[in-house]
Amino acid sequence: MSTPGATARNLMASGSVSEGVESRRVALDVLDRVDRDGAYANLALPSRLAESELDARDRGFVTELVYGTLRRRRSVDHLVDRHVERTDVELRVRNALRMGAYQLRWTDVADHAAVDATVSAVPKRARGFVNAVLRKVARDASTYQFPTDALRLSVPDWLLDRLRSDLGDRAVPVIEAMNERAVVHTRPDGYRQDTASQEVGRLFAEVADGSVIADLCAAPGGKATHIAGLLGCSVAALDRHAHRAKLVDDAADLTSTAAMAVVADATAPPLRPGVFDGVLVDAPCSGLGSLRRRPDARWRITADDIGSLRDLQFDLVAAARDLLRPGGILVFSVCTLTDAESLHVDDRVADAFGDLLPVALSEPWEQHGRGGRLLPDRFDGDGMTAFAYRRSP
Ligand SMILES: C[S@@+](CC[C@H](N)C(=O)[O-])C[C@H]1O[C@@H](n2cnc3c(N)ncnc32)[C@H](O)[C@@H]1O
């Protein structure tokens, strides 16, 4: 199943929604909320769409405009700023320029339709200015050569530098892949889950049906319900935050699986040690691997966030080890691509726990140290890093 955004692209090619001024207005409302109120796009968008009277096709187009403009913000600002000398451009007008430039460079909407409909969506007093700037942008939007990779890829310099140092030559293709529209995958049980997350659940496939499993960082419940369904077992699904644990209950209801939400700090889990056949630590992390699905995340994450959770990640793995029975499987996963949040944590695990023996990960995982990773340039899903260990008897 494809996202509304991908559908919109097909529609735009036929020109059937390209004149929607109301779609542009709704998209601008969402962009303004993200910038002005710090709202998350994936929450602000559905809530604004619910208030609108747009049909399904126009909703898909709005999704494309919002996600694309947010994702390409650095690039579109660059395209626009070449033609703007004023520094007092109000937020809504700035977002209209960004959204116009996005359409001109990255969509199939005809240039005149992109400019006219965007101009019509801003207050009258700003229309002349937006029209003049977008007409200049339109002259070379599709052929313009960005002066740096970070500007072209629309990422902060630090992010490209960090991924270059950790991924080498794969950094640019990986970011290019994460700049594509996300594809939503729906599992047979109705839960929508990225394919990389499904690969993490499959790491438990060899554990016998009916096993006892703990998921220490479970909300919103994607992996807990996947594992419960795969193994036909109950999963003790811990999360520290009550409002997030509620999401696990919702996921269990949707999928009719026995993932039982428990609100608890998993560094001191209220569970019996030494009896679990499998324990998952899908740890909190910077989230750099899921930029495709979270278009505004690249502007929220800072260089200081990378590695800031590594003590917590290690403590969670240590708590997970105590829960395992001898011979049981522990999986530590993070939806990120940096060594600080993966290899460096595993180094500490190797030093501290000689009884956690690494299990090699097979296709589609690419070997990474003692574990594996999925990189979005070759694997069609989020970037993910995982380590599997068997506790020696
Ligand atoms: C990456 S998300 C988990 C995603 C989930 N496994 C899934 O597939 O749907 C990490 C989760 O860890 C939770 N968390 C953070 N610190 C925790 C702690 N000390 N104990 C338990 N849960 C924690 C967060 O609330 C968040 O829901």
Side-chain angles (χ1 to χ4, degrees), residues 191 193 197 215-224 238-241 243-245 248 264-268 280-285 312 316 333-335:
Y191 191 89
Q193 187 183 38
S197 289
D215 178 348
L216 297 193
C217 299
K223 297 183 189 72
L238 276 61
D239 206 277
R240 184 181 197 148
H241 303 288
H243 69 282
R244 290 188 56 78
V248 178
D265 179 349
T267 58
L280 171 63
V281 176
D282 186 39
C285 67
L312 173 61
L316 288 164
S333 58
V334 275
C335 60

